[in-house]
Amino acid sequence: MSFSPLIKQLIENLQCLPGVGPKSAQRMALHLLERDRDRCRQLATTLREAADTVSRCDQCRTLTEQSLCDICSSARRDEALLCIVETPADVIAIEQAGGYRGKYFVLLGHLSPIDGIGPEDLGIDALVKRVEKRGVSEVILATNPTVEGEATAYFIIEQLRSSGVPVSRIAHGVPLGGELEFVDGGTLVHAFSGRTTVTESP
Amino acid sequence: MSFSPLIKQLIENLQCLPGVGPKSAQRMALHLLERDRDRCRQLATTLREAADTVSRCDQCRTLTEQSLCDICSSARRDEALLCIVETPADVIAIEQAGGYRGKYFVLLGHLSPIDGIGPEDLGIDALVKRVEKRGVSEVILATNPTVEGEATAYFIIEQLRSSGVPVSRIAHGVPLGGELEFVDGGTLVHAFSGRTTVTESP
């Protein structure tokens, strides 16, 4: 004996959310049904609407239900700077940090032959065309410092070589507030090889 | 600059789920939109269907979309035993433990004057009628061992006094596999006051 078929199905469906297992799904389902019917309906409506209408920005490929995202349609952003990131969440993180006033290109993933994700899935053709056509003066690679992120960055560097536009990679090293003692070896090696001179040589 | 209005709304709505804050909601929304549109639609459909059709079992008041839940409609369960619990999740926990073959009555909450939850919200009238009418030979109180759960249990004991049906409370004490050293004081006091004799007095 257990929950009724519909409640069982709801518990199962809730497990498609990342980080939600059977126990939390059960808690969520009962919470919604016991206390929050209206918000449950509202969530259903928003989920369906988002699944049906959210698409990609025509220019930067980020997720949006508009044809151009806010950043791409803004006249205040510097067209000459183009930052390449893996996901829309990365855009938000960079925006919240502040300081960057250029535009973005969102790959929505990284090269991963094992999952069948190739350059065409990441829109790299469109990226190359955009860099060649418009007055882009610098491309900043901000893919994740993981094996796949690095591979994707190097692939893009190769693709952009013929355009002659300078390509840079964001710095990797010891994070601010981090203590050297607790930073992993890979990051320390990066921090040393990427060191910058602070005094002129005599 | 941040997410588009619809994605923002989805992230906000997902926060109605228990245990989901802004960060996990963002992760859920992007996961669904980047990878799982079909399951997103499926979840939306199930949420709406559940919110619209899940109601209460006519007999035991548990959440179900049927008029009688599986346990109430089962002929194999002992009508003479009635176990009173706070939520449908408690029913599942007792069923999974096995051993209990009687029926249930689900309060869907506990007395909580501060939240405006009184006896009428817990269906205690229906409970008293059911105990008086049908051949119930024992009522087992399995509300939570919290202040509200205990208060609810004592209120029900008072309401059922006139029916003459014996009422019992499940045992509270040291959990199996628990080490005495790590059990809280309240539980230990309960364990001592609820001790059972294991040898006959001479």
Side-chain angles (χ1 to χ4, degrees):
Chain A
M1 299 282 177
S2 64
F3 291 113
S4 65
L6 190 55
I7 300 182
K8 246 188 255 172
Q9 199 192 330
L10 178 58
I11 293 174
E12 212 159 279
N13 286 174
L14 280 166
Q15 290 177 52
C16 75
L17 297 170
V20 176
K23 270 275 164 185
S24 358
Q26 177 185 313
R27 196 166 139 243
M28 287 173 173
L30 292 177
H31 174 91
L32 288 173
L33 293 173
E34 281 172 28
R35 268 172 267 182
D36 245 350
R37 295 287 172 113
D38 284 341
R39 299 191 75 179
C40 182
R41 283 190 197 96
Q42 212 170 22
L43 176 59
T45 310
T46 317
L47 276 169
R48 149 121 357 225
E49 211 181 317
D52 289 345
T53 67
V54 168
S55 177
R56 287 175 173 183
C57 169
D58 287 345
Q59 224 175 79
C60 76
R61 287 174 41 98
T62 196
L63 292 171
T64 174
E65 71 273 17
Q66 299 144 340
S67 59
L68 270 188
C69 74
D70 284 356
I71 295 176
C72 284
S73 57
S74 166
R76 295 153 125 210
R77 311 288 300 216
D78 188 352
E79 285 272 357
L81 278 176
L82 188 64
C83 177
I84 300 177
V85 294
E86 291 185 25
T87 71
D90 297 336
V91 174
I92 303 300
I94 296 173
E95 288 299 296
Q96 279 172 352
Y100 178 68
R101 303 300 301 156
K103 302 235 166 175
Y104 293 93
F105 189 88
V106 182
L107 301 170
L108 273 189
H110 46 233
L111 291 180
S112 180
I114 219 165
D115 302 315
I117 299 175
E120 60 288 349
D121 300 304
L122 306 181
I124 291 180
D125 276 5
L127 169 64
V128 172
K129 266 185 213 144
R130 176 161 170 193
V131 171
E132 281 171 349
K133 250 198 230 161
R134 306 190 179 222
V136 175
S137 66
E138 182 180 354
V139 171
I140 302 168
L141 286 168
T143 54
N144 290 326
T146 56
V147 176
E148 295 90 348
E150 294 290 353
T152 309
Y154 283 108
F155 183 83
I156 292 171
I157 292 170
E158 282 310 311
Q159 298 297 304
L160 292 179
R161 199 176 291 281
S162 61
S163 71
V165 175
V167 179
S168 60
R169 181 102 175 87
I170 56 167
H172 296 125
V174 180
L176 294 194
E179 292 181 57
L180 239 59
E181 188 182 346
F182 301 113
V183 169
D184 66 294
T187 302
L188 275 181
V189 170
H190 255 289
F192 271 87
S193 66
R195 66 189 180 277
T196 53
T197 313
V198 287
T199 54
E200 293 286 317
S201 51
Chain B
M1 299 283 175
S2 65
F3 291 112
S4 64
L6 190 55
I7 300 181
K8 246 189 255 172
Q9 199 192 331
L10 179 57
I11 292 174
E12 211 159 278
N13 286 172
L14 280 165
Q15 290 176 53
C16 75
L17 297 170
V20 176
K23 270 276 166 186
S24 358
Q26 177 184 313
R27 197 167 138 242
M28 287 172 173
L30 291 178
H31 174 91
L32 289 173
L33 293 173
E34 281 172 28
R35 268 171 267 181
D36 244 351
R37 295 287 171 112
D38 284 342
R39 298 190 77 179
C40 182
R41 284 191 197 95
Q42 212 171 24
L43 176 58
T45 310
T46 316
L47 276 169
R48 149 121 359 223
E49 210 182 317
D52 288 346
T53 67
V54 168
S55 177
R56 287 175 173 183
C57 169
D58 288 346
Q59 224 175 79
C60 76
R61 286 174 41 99
T62 196
L63 292 171
T64 174
E65 71 274 16
Q66 299 144 338
S67 58
L68 270 188
C69 74
D70 284 356
I71 295 176
C72 284
S73 57
S74 165
R76 293 151 128 213
R77 310 287 302 214
D78 189 352
E79 286 271 357
L81 278 177
L82 188 64
C83 176
I84 300 177
V85 294
E86 291 186 25
T87 72
D90 297 337
V91 174
I92 302 301
I94 296 173
E95 287 299 296
Q96 277 171 354
Y100 178 69
R101 304 299 303 158
K103 302 235 168 178
Y104 292 95
F105 189 89
V106 182
L107 301 170
L108 273 188
H110 47 232
L111 291 180
S112 178
I114 220 165
D115 302 313
I117 299 174
E120 61 287 349
D121 299 304
L122 306 181
I124 290 180
D125 277 6
L127 168 64
V128 172
K129 265 185 211 144
R130 176 161 169 193
V131 171
E132 281 171 348
K133 249 199 227 160
R134 308 192 176 221
V136 174
S137 65
E138 182 179 354
V139 172
I140 302 169
L141 286 168
T143 54
N144 290 326
T146 56
V147 176
E148 294 90 348
E150 294 288 353
T152 309
Y154 283 109
F155 183 83
I156 293 172
I157 292 170
E158 283 310 312
Q159 298 298 304
L160 292 179
R161 201 176 289 281
S162 61
S163 71
V165 175
V167 179
S168 59
R169 181 101 174 90
I170 56 167
H172 296 124
V174 179
L176 293 195
E179 293 182 55
L180 240 58
E181 189 183 346
F182 301 114
V183 169
D184 66 292
T187 302
L188 275 181
V189 169
H190 255 290
F192 272 87
S193 67
R195 67 188 180 278
T196 52
T197 313
V198 286
T199 52
E200 293 286 316
S201 53

